[in-house]
Amino acid sequence: MIDNSKNKIATIRQFNRYYTNVLGLLDKHILESELSLSEARVLHEIAATDGCTSKMLIDMLCIDSGYLSRVLDRLEKCGFINKAKSPSDKRAHLLSLTSKGFNKMAALNGHSDKQIQEMISGLSEEETSVLANSMLNIRNTLTHQRPRPEDVTIRHDLRPGDAGCIIAMHARIYRAEYDYCTSFEGYVAQSFCEFLLNYNPERDRLWVAEHLGAPVGCIGVVNHGSRAQLRWFLLSSEYRGIGLGKKLMNMALDFCRQCGYDSVFLDTTSDLPLAISMYTKAGFVKISEKDNNVWREGVTELEFELKL
Amino acid sequence: MIDNSKNKIATIRQFNRYYTNVLGLLDKHILESELSLSEARVLHEIAATDGCTSKMLIDMLCIDSGYLSRVLDRLEKCGFINKAKSPSDKRAHLLSLTSKGFNKMAALNGHSDKQIQEMISGLSEEETSVLANSMLNIRNTLTHQRPRPEDVTIRHDLRPGDAGCIIAMHARIYRAEYDYCTSFEGYVAQSFCEFLLNYNPERDRLWVAEHLGAPVGCIGVVNHGSRAQLRWFLLSSEYRGIGLGKKLMNMALDFCRQCGYDSVFLDTTSDLPLAISMYTKAGFVKISEKDNNVWREGVTELEFELKL
DNA sequence: TAAAATAGTTGACAAAAGCAGATATTAATG
DNA sequence: CATTAATATCTGCTTTTGTCAACTATTTTA
């Protein structure tokens, strides 16, 4: 782990220098097309930007306005873009790609992809994933992007390591948010031990929500004869409030209905008002409560139930 | 997770375009110095390269030889670099920085750092770490660097999530290398449950080896009265053979001696000849063996012991 | 309604980068 | 060993890229 902020900045600086070289190498193919690097960048930005104008390109690409004007002229003469008077502002033009422009861009991307393919040809599947995920991480971090729920995948195929990751997630989140002690991770481990040793794909299920290859949420259903137990309902804080919790809950309850369980019960604590409100919204009813001071002082354990 | 290779390539292409913009922004500060971007890159490369010559710069920076010749002239006239005839090849010059050149480079780095600082000022500690680690990941992956043992940190402060991560690591590695089944992860979880519920920092210890913020190896010592149990001795495959295993083992045994344990025992299986050879090298002796067909067919469980 | 600001264009110019040929030296080949 | 091929660098010339400032047309602000 890179520990102090000075090291981090140095790491970033070194990466920038390194990646300047990488990009220089990869951009060479553009020079072999009839376009210059700037022209290619402008073309891409026009394609990616809705209602694109010169001003927007100047801001996004930090390009000189005079230079851009000539670049746009050239692109128009080549038949790659259209310039249309903006109806809302007669000074400005709306820029858009022609179909020829789209084809050109596709060709550029194709070349680019071939080069990237070559660059990663010596890497393993695993390494390529690490690479792509790291790049997504950087972009998301620097653009302050909140994760979009459609980028989060949910699966229930119980891969090796799923249980361990979710144990770790529980421990970290409950420590950070509720200051639970070390033994809490032990109890979660215990619960997964039981789950894994008795695992029956027909009656038990664990859903893992993943983003950028890392687990960000989960929910589980555990077989108890005619009753099912809902367990491990948890989301990383950044992934709350975007509908993921509801989605996980619905998946779990649908599975319970499919399996023909009579009812679903769950244990939770008074620490989790947000989860509790989701349970009651889904129709769960509190059926018992008792004190539990093991993980933290003053916690009340609650049991909820939902008749199916 | 980015699933297929087409998506990965597209992700990389998008990142490249995105990062071109980032670098363009960050490189602006150089234009405000008396150097051009190329001159600054050349200066850095000379500083970083031992016995640097023009040819090496041409290869590394992909710069035109004629252009480079002039760039070097300018840098020499400014007093930033020295050109000395190479003794081994009278055609070539050895390039090196003058002290003035070093100062200039330090100033450039300072400016660069200030800009980076500004860029990451809106990010949390956590996000900055993700950023820097992702960048290191990219560089290490693309340059095919084997992890250096000195970049791996080993700690034993038992943080929340450590146990879960190590459970996951066990499950993944034993599945990939020995095809152990799902229940194996359950048994590992069970062992950590016991460990965490009885954890006593004076007598129990868990070491986690980390690289780029992720666990890559571990070893543990568990209190059994006058005897200690060695557990969870494991390294990710890429981190084997660089002395890390020995280091972990020594740390664990030193701790056992410090605690005054009489002996150390451990359970392992016939599947792990590499680990077994490390145990015997450390002085462990086999004291029993029995069959165990739970995790995989035909596995023999072995018990080893070391008198301290 | 006049002044200030904005979107974009154009001409003049400077800086950056590339190409081709030249020179000195070294390596390779018969 | 002599000759040829290859290499490292430099120089003159050219093209490409990028910058600056002045200018028009329009919109916003005071």
Side-chain angles (χ1 to χ4, degrees), chain A residues 1-3 8-9 11-23 25-28 41 44-45 60-62 109 112-113 116-117 119-120 122-123 125 127-139 141-144 153 158-165 167-168 171-172 175 182-183 185-187 189-190 192-193 196-197 199 210-213, chain B residues 1-3 8-9 11-23 25-28 41 44-45 60-62 109 112-113 116-117 119-120 122-123 125 127-139 141-144 153 158-165 167-168 171-172 175 182-183 185-187 189-190 192-193 196-197 199 210-213:
Chain A
M1 189 59 125
I2 303 157
D3 35 8
K8 283 180 201 163
I9 289 180
T11 302
I12 295 172
R13 172 157 47 70
Q14 281 155 24
F15 173 78
N16 287 348
R17 194 136 50 237
Y18 167 73
Y19 216 69
T20 301
N21 289 345
V22 173
L23 288 175
L25 259 160
L26 291 179
D27 281 342
K28 269 209 256 172
R41 291 179 68 203
H44 269 112
E45 215 58 54
M60 289 185 294
L61 300 175
C62 301
N109 282 347
S112 202
D113 286 357
I116 292 168
Q117 179 70 64
M119 177 175 87
I120 65 174
L123 303 180
E125 190 76 11
E127 286 172 318
T128 315
S129 291
V130 166
L131 192 68
N133 280 320
S134 296
M135 288 175 172
L136 257 182
N137 264 333
I138 292 172
R139 201 144 70 97
T141 305
L142 289 180
T143 54
H144 301 201
T153 56
L158 193 61
R159 300 183 192 162
D162 282 351
C165 280
I167 293 168
R172 293 204 186 103
R175 169 66 64 87
T182 301
S183 68
E185 187 163 5
Y187 286 107
Q190 174 64 48
F192 270 103
C193 169
L196 292 171
L197 296 187
Y199 182 68
E210 288 183 324
H211 189 222
L212 300 179
Chain B
M1 187 59 123
I2 302 156
D3 35 6
K8 283 179 200 162
I9 289 180
T11 302
I12 295 172
R13 174 157 46 72
Q14 280 155 24
F15 174 78
N16 288 348
R17 194 135 53 238
Y18 167 73
Y19 216 70
T20 301
N21 289 346
V22 172
L23 288 174
L25 259 159
L26 291 178
D27 281 343
K28 269 210 254 173
R41 289 179 69 202
H44 269 112
E45 216 58 54
M60 289 186 293
L61 300 176
C62 301
N109 282 347
S112 202
D113 286 357
I116 292 168
Q117 179 69 64
M119 177 175 88
I120 64 174
L123 302 180
E125 191 75 15
E127 286 172 318
T128 313
S129 291
V130 166
L131 193 66
N133 280 323
S134 296
M135 288 175 173
L136 257 183
N137 264 333
I138 292 173
R139 201 144 70 97
T141 305
L142 288 181
T143 55
H144 301 203
T153 56
L158 194 61
R159 299 182 192 163
D162 283 350
C165 281
I167 294 168
R172 293 203 186 104
R175 168 67 64 88
T182 301
S183 68
E185 187 164 6
Y187 287 107
Q190 174 64 47
F192 270 102
C193 169
L196 292 170
L197 295 187
Y199 181 67
E210 289 183 324
H211 189 222
L212 301 179

Side-chain angles (χ1 to χ4, degrees), chain A residues 41-42 45 52-69 72 95, chain B residues 21 25 28:
Chain A
R41 291 179 68 203
V42 166
E45 215 58 54
C52 186
T53 64
S54 286
K55 185 68 202 334
M56 292 161 90
L57 292 172
I58 290 166
D59 292 341
M60 289 185 294
L61 300 175
C62 301
I63 193 175
D64 176 78
S65 61
Y67 184 44
L68 175 64
S69 176
L72 291 175
L95 304 168
Chain B
N21 289 346
L25 259 159
K28 269 210 254 173

Side-chain angles (χ1 to χ4, degrees), chain A residues 178-188 269 271 290-301, chain B residues 196-198:
Chain A
Y178 312 108
D179 204 32
Y180 278 19
C181 71
T182 301
S183 68
F184 176 70
E185 187 163 5
Y187 286 107
V188 181
T269 74
D271 279 335
K290 65 172 179 207
D291 287 348
N292 175 338
N293 290 323
V294 177
W295 307 322
R296 194 179 61 80
E297 284 296 305
V299 177
T300 308
E301 256 188 85
Chain B
L196 292 170
L197 295 187
N198 300 307

Side-chain angles (χ1 to χ4, degrees), chain B residues 31-290:
Chain B
L31 305 175
E32 283 147 33
S33 77
E34 64 200 306
L35 295 180
S36 77
L37 221 137
S38 297
E39 287 166 338
R41 289 179 69 202
V42 167
L43 204 65
H44 269 112
E45 216 58 54
I46 293 175
T49 312
D50 217 43
C52 185
T53 65
S54 286
K55 184 69 203 331
M56 293 163 90
L57 292 171
I58 290 165
D59 292 341
M60 289 186 293
L61 300 176
C62 301
I63 192 174
D64 176 77
S65 61
Y67 183 46
L68 175 65
S69 175
R70 272 177 267 259
V71 164
L72 292 174
D73 270 359
R74 226 173 317 159
L75 288 176
E76 196 185 17
K77 275 201 194 91
C78 291
F80 294 140
I81 64 167
N82 278 322
K83 272 179 167 182
K85 283 269 170 214
S86 164
S88 60
D89 185 339
K90 282 171 198 162
R91 294 168 302 178
H93 305 291
L94 289 179
L95 304 167
S96 60
L97 288 206
T98 61
S99 61
K100 193 180 166 194
F102 269 110
N103 290 343
K104 185 68 189 177
M105 222 185 65
L108 284 173
N109 282 347
H111 271 277
S112 202
D113 286 357
K114 236 185 253 170
Q115 277 210 304
I116 292 168
Q117 179 69 64
E118 206 172 302
M119 177 175 88
I120 64 174
S121 62
L123 302 180
S124 67
E125 191 75 15
E126 164 82 20
E127 286 172 318
T128 313
S129 291
V130 166
L131 193 66
N133 280 323
S134 296
M135 288 175 173
L136 257 183
N137 264 333
I138 292 173
R139 201 144 70 97
N140 287 345
T141 305
L142 288 181
T143 55
H144 301 203
Q145 248 163 39
R146 280 217 72 188
R148 299 181 311 166
E150 58 265 40
D151 290 342
V152 176
T153 56
I154 299 176
R155 59 177 177 79
H156 58 260
D157 53 349
L158 194 61
R159 299 182 192 163
D162 283 350
C165 281
I166 288 172
I167 294 168
M169 207 168 93
H170 274 75
R172 293 203 186 104
I173 291 177
Y174 281 80
R175 168 67 64 88
E177 299 183 7
Y178 312 107
D179 204 31
Y180 279 19
C181 69
T182 301
S183 68
F184 177 71
E185 187 164 6
Y187 287 107
V188 181
Q190 174 64 47
S191 69
F192 270 102
C193 169
E194 289 161 17
F195 181 74
L196 292 170
L197 295 187
N198 300 307
Y199 181 67
N200 170 3
E202 307 287 315
R203 308 285 290 168
D204 300 301
R205 189 159 284 184
L206 181 70
W207 290 262
V208 181
E210 289 183 324
H211 189 222
L212 301 179
V216 301
C218 55
I219 199 166
V221 165
V222 181
N223 177 23
H224 285 262
S226 62
R227 301 174 77 204
Q229 183 182 12
L230 203 69
R231 299 199 92 165
W232 312 303
F233 184 35
L234 189 62
L235 276 174
S236 286
S237 59
E238 315 93 85
Y239 295 84
R240 292 174 200 161
I242 53 175
L244 268 174
K246 200 174 175 183
K247 202 166 165 187
L248 285 169
M249 170 81 80
N250 287 340
M251 283 172 147
L253 294 181
D254 284 350
F255 175 72
C256 289
R257 286 189 198 97
Q258 266 174 45
C259 289
Y261 286 115
D262 293 340
S263 63
V264 191
F265 71 98
L266 64 88
D267 297 306
T268 184
T269 76
S270 52
D271 279 335
L272 310 168
L274 222 120
I276 290 173
S277 86
M278 293 204 68
Y279 296 138
T280 52
K281 253 183 227 159
F284 280 87
V285 180
K286 184 165 73 180
I287 53 175
S288 82
E289 62 178 274
K290 65 173 180 208

